[in-house]
Amino acid sequence: EFVVGGIVSKPDDVSVNEGHCTNSSPGADNCFIIDGRITLLLNPINDISYNSTVSAQAAMDATQFNLEESMDDDDLLSPNMPEVIKVQYLGDNLAEFLAWGESDV
């Protein structure tokens, strides 16, 4: 089993110049799609009764869930960046998001 020992904001996020960006937040005057990326630092719990592959996936799934919840609850907004008024989780995979946007048009 693993626990998340840390989160690193690497590799760097990438601004995406394609896809449909909807500006639905009050007070917003622009919208950007960012392919955000993070690296999880997983620390093993010394118990050999667990399947490490499954438990690593469980740690990643839990982190993703918490990240989505933080975005939904506006916990990632900061007074240090007042120009950012909303962040939204768009999906697990940029290619799937872009394909979904094309089929939706």
Side-chain angles (χ1 to χ4, degrees), residues 27-68:
D29 60 6
N30 216 329
C31 180
F32 300 94
I33 297 173
I34 305 295
D35 184 9
R37 304 157 188 214
I38 60 173
T39 299
L40 295 181
L41 305 175
L42 301 177
N43 295 331
I45 295 174
N46 294 325
D47 184 345
I48 60 172
S49 66
Y50 292 99
N51 180 324
S52 63
T53 303
V54 171
S55 59
Q57 185 63 49
M60 291 185 288
D61 291 345
T63 301
Q64 180 179 338
F65 175 82
N66 290 332
L67 181 60
E68 289 180 50

Side-chain angles (χ1 to χ4, degrees), residues 7 62-77 86-89:
I7 298 176
T63 301
Q64 180 179 338
F65 175 82
N66 290 332
L67 181 60
E68 289 180 50
E69 289 287 310
S70 293
M71 288 182 175
D72 289 344
D73 295 341
D74 293 334
D75 293 339
L76 301 180
L77 301 180
K86 182 69 182 164
V87 292
Q88 181 179 356
Y89 188 84

